[in-house]
Amino acid sequence: MTLMERLNSDMKTAMKNKDKTKLSVIRMVRSSLKNEEIKLNRPLTEEDALNVISRELKQQKDSLNEFEQADRKDLAEKARADIAVLQEYLPEPLTEEEVRGIVREAIQESGATSKADMGQVMKIVIPRVKGRADGKMVNRLVQEALQ
């Protein structure tokens, strides 16, 4: 089942169950996917769709951070619920140890020796962890490994 088929099926289920949170998130994601399809002027691949969902998840996490800083508990709770729904559609996230292993492999492949070579390492690591690891964590682990 493709991601779009799963979204459509889950949307119908959410309507039947009157799950307003899940329904609104799925509608937002479908809208974002449609906008991306129009922007690219071609049907989306599964990877494109995962990128869109990852982007939406990052926006929700940023919003959650802002809401918590502003002490808006009501909006923070909504953002947490939206994040939980979005995470259902992403692949299983990598653990920090798994990312460390990928970083070590990338350093060996690129022959990097110092922080000046960080760009080369990131070019190798990012495609391998796309949608499955937080970019900030990847950046931190690459910096630690290149010290």
Side-chain angles (χ1 to χ4, degrees):
M1 178 183 292
T2 68
L3 188 57
M4 283 302 291
E5 290 169 347
R6 186 169 161 218
L7 284 167
N8 288 333
S9 171
D10 289 353
M11 187 171 83
K12 290 175 189 171
T13 304
M15 284 179 186
K16 288 177 186 172
N17 297 338
K18 296 185 179 11
D19 185 347
K20 291 180 181 178
T21 302
K22 190 166 192 166
L23 183 59
S24 72
V25 172
I26 291 172
R27 284 181 171 159
M28 174 194 62
V29 168
R30 290 185 65 209
S31 173
S32 295
L33 290 170
K34 194 66 175 166
N35 289 339
E36 187 74 8
E37 194 172 300
I38 291 167
K39 185 175 114 186
L40 295 175
N41 200 20
R42 64 173 169 76
L44 296 179
T45 63
E46 284 291 307
E47 186 177 334
D48 293 334
L50 288 174
N51 288 340
V52 170
I53 293 175
S54 295
R55 187 171 53 230
E56 293 293 333
L57 180 64
K58 184 179 183 321
Q59 287 175 351
Q60 287 295 327
K61 285 182 177 180
D62 291 344
S63 296
L64 174 61
N65 190 24
E66 295 294 321
F67 295 148
E68 286 175 342
Q69 287 178 355
D71 200 32
R72 292 293 309 266
K73 291 179 177 60
D74 54 334
L75 295 174
E77 279 304 312
K78 183 186 179 324
R80 279 191 200 93
D82 291 353
I83 287 169
V85 172
L86 287 169
Q87 286 175 331
E88 292 176 24
Y89 296 100
L90 290 173
E92 193 67 32
L94 295 170
T95 65
E96 192 167 318
E97 276 309 308
E98 290 172 321
V99 176
R100 279 185 206 279
I102 293 170
V103 167
R104 281 192 293 273
E105 290 172 14
I107 289 172
Q108 288 176 346
E109 283 178 36
S110 66
T113 55
S114 68
K115 284 192 177 186
D117 302 324
M118 189 169 165
Q120 295 172 346
V121 177
M122 292 298 278
K123 282 182 190 174
I124 297 170
V125 173
I126 293 297
R128 294 182 186 176
V129 300
K130 191 83 171 158
R132 297 173 53 209
D134 180 48
K136 291 177 185 174
M137 178 181 68
V138 172
N139 191 321
R140 178 177 53 82
L141 293 176
V142 170
Q143 285 184 7
E144 287 174 6
L146 290 175
Q147 283 182 345

